[in-house]
Amino acid sequence: MSAEASGLSVPLDDFILSRLDIQTIEYAEDLLTRACMRGSGFDWEMLPPPARTDTDPLHRRRYGVIEPEVAGRYGYHLPPLAPDQQAREQVWRRRDALPPAERRAAYGHDGQGGCRNTARTRLAEGVPKLDQQRLNGFIGDTFEASQRVPAVVAVFGAWSRCMKAKGFAYGMPLDAAADPAWARSAQPSPREIAVAKADVGCKRTTGLVAAWSTADSHVQLDAIATHRADFDRFRQARDAELRAAEQVIGNG
């Protein structure tokens, strides 16, 4: 993974759960679930402990594919999961195949109860309720607004002209990534690889990622300043949820 991809961040990161935060919460939930399941005479396979570093950072593809090696090997298809992510997925798949009695103990008769619900209820005790819909609204609205910033519109135009000079007609970078032709195959076609490589090259030539990232940050900072009370609540809810999980892990 390139340093550019791993180094991407935005101001709203301070108010949302990172992938590693989610792993921490899931691990705490697993500890509570395991204790409950053992009380019912069953065991519970734990997810791996939270990783130390994120092998697939949240913003790696925020501005589309930006890594030459990824573009050259996978085009716009997702690379294979890292080993730690594969291990987590295997646990989830085995949970889908639990015997009926264990499944009922874990998830209840309707899939919404059982030890999993008991664990989630325990973790939520004393944690302020997060208005996820409102937070998601800020996330989506600011991302869209960043694409209307004049400097970003200008760099999109330069990127589009660069792509056209290479034989590919796309108006905006995310149009190239979302081309429906790529979804027709499980593997990238030669044309997809060619488009992705040209895409990354034109982003670098035009300085697109730096320009868009700068505008992205400014738009988000403006939203945070304008809606400070909302964002204070978002941060409080996130921090309280993490503290509750870390306390469970510490006691586990």
Side-chain angles (χ1 to χ4, degrees):
M1 179 167 45
S2 70
E4 182 182 31
S6 61
L8 287 174
S9 64
V10 292
L12 288 190
D13 290 346
D14 289 340
F15 305 89
I16 64 175
L17 295 167
S18 70
R19 196 187 315 272
L20 300 186
D21 292 338
I22 293 170
Q23 288 182 10
T24 297
I25 293 166
E26 289 177 341
Y27 192 71
E29 186 176 296
D30 263 8
L31 286 169
L32 294 172
T33 301
R34 184 174 66 181
C36 176
M37 289 289 284
R38 286 177 173 175
S40 299
F42 300 105
D43 203 356
W44 180 255
E45 182 182 8
M46 298 281 294
L47 288 164
R52 292 181 177 273
T53 57
D54 196 344
T55 54
D56 188 19
L58 180 62
H59 302 302
R60 188 176 189 178
R61 291 199 174 204
R62 184 175 183 85
Y63 308 115
V65 175
I66 64 174
E67 299 165 276
E69 182 180 353
V70 171
R73 294 185 64 186
Y74 307 107
Y76 294 102
H77 281 64
L78 293 175
L81 294 176
D84 66 304
Q85 293 174 305
Q86 291 179 26
R88 297 179 69 81
E89 288 299 314
Q90 288 167 4
V91 174
W92 288 116
R93 283 196 293 271
R94 286 192 288 271
R95 288 179 183 177
D96 288 338
L98 285 175
E102 287 185 47
R103 173 167 289 279
R104 284 194 299 272
Y107 302 108
H109 291 279
D110 60 356
Q112 303 298 318
C115 286
R116 293 302 270 173
N117 184 62
T118 299
R120 289 170 181 149
T121 301
R122 163 67 179 80
L123 276 177
E125 289 174 359
V127 174
K129 185 171 178 57
L130 171 66
D131 189 343
Q132 190 65 56
Q133 184 174 0
R134 184 158 178 77
L135 176 56
N136 288 344
F138 283 117
I139 292 170
D141 290 347
T142 55
F143 186 64
E144 290 180 7
S146 73
Q147 298 173 61
R148 299 192 294 270
V149 172
V152 176
V153 173
V155 80
F156 280 1
W159 174 90
S160 183
R161 290 189 295 274
C162 175
M163 289 292 283
K164 187 173 182 180
K166 297 182 183 214
F168 307 115
Y170 293 99
M172 298 173 64
L174 298 185
D175 293 343
D179 191 323
W182 316 145
R184 295 174 190 154
S185 170
Q187 300 297 326
S189 66
R191 177 175 174 79
E192 179 182 344
I193 295 290
V195 171
K197 290 170 69 173
D199 179 2
V200 173
C202 287
K203 281 172 179 161
R204 295 198 163 192
T205 299
T206 60
L208 184 145
V209 174
W212 194 354
S213 177
T214 297
D216 207 0
S217 292
H218 288 161
V219 169
Q220 290 193 2
L221 288 171
D222 285 346
I224 293 166
T226 303
H227 302 277
R228 173 56 64 184
D230 284 305
F231 283 95
D232 284 345
R233 287 191 290 270
F234 297 151
R235 193 198 300 272
Q236 289 166 7
R238 183 205 64 175
D239 290 352
E241 189 172 9
L242 271 176
R243 281 196 303 271
E246 288 164 352
Q247 183 175 11
V248 168
I249 294 171
N251 294 335

